[in-house]
Amino acid sequence: MPMHYLGLAGNVRRYSAFTDDYLKPLIPLHRFITIAALFTGAAQLIFLYNLVRTRLRGPKASDNPWEATTLEWSTTSPPPFDNFGGRPPTVYHGPNEYGTKSAAGDYVMQASPAPVGAA
């Protein structure tokens, strides 16, 4: 938004110096934009640190970390070449079987032949 204000104030884009007198009052706004850009860049360093640390030392995710019920979560992680290991899955339930009792918890997978019981 501050850059939008600079444009409305008549600041040209590709001047290396403020030669016109009407642009000199805009210098503090340019300084603010520069500091904000540096803080934004520093925040990206935190993200990169977290990315590298998690990749190298983080725990491995399980096959279904979100406890989702759809077919893509019924295979191993990483999935085999043809996604289901040569065995196309048989669908027994709908994709939103939550709040039901099963051996896995309070949800039933689509490919599970277990009967659906009320919670």
Side-chain angles (χ1 to χ4, degrees):
M1 196 63 197
M3 294 178 108
H4 180 70
Y5 173 72
L6 288 175
L8 290 176
N11 191 12
V12 288
R13 290 175 53 189
R14 292 184 179 92
Y15 281 14
S16 61
F18 295 102
T19 57
D20 298 327
D21 287 337
Y22 74 93
L23 293 176
K24 289 188 181 178
L26 300 176
I27 290 176
L29 192 54
H30 279 277
R31 194 170 290 129
F32 169 75
I33 292 171
T34 301
I35 292 170
L38 291 173
F39 276 119
T40 303
Q44 297 306 309
L45 293 176
I46 295 170
F47 166 74
L48 288 175
Y49 168 76
N50 187 22
L51 179 75
V52 171
R53 184 178 180 281
T54 304
R55 178 69 175 123
L56 296 177
R57 295 185 181 170
K60 300 293 180 193
S62 63
D63 287 343
N64 189 0
W66 307 111
E67 296 183 352
T69 61
T70 53
L71 291 177
E72 63 267 15
W73 294 103
S74 64
T75 186
T76 60
S77 178
F81 175 71
D82 58 352
N83 290 342
F84 293 102
R87 295 169 286 137
T90 304
V91 177
Y92 295 99
H93 305 287
N96 297 315
E97 297 293 337
Y98 294 102
T100 58
K101 292 183 179 180
S102 72
D106 64 343
Y107 62 95
V108 177
M109 298 293 290
Q110 275 188 301
S112 172
V116 176

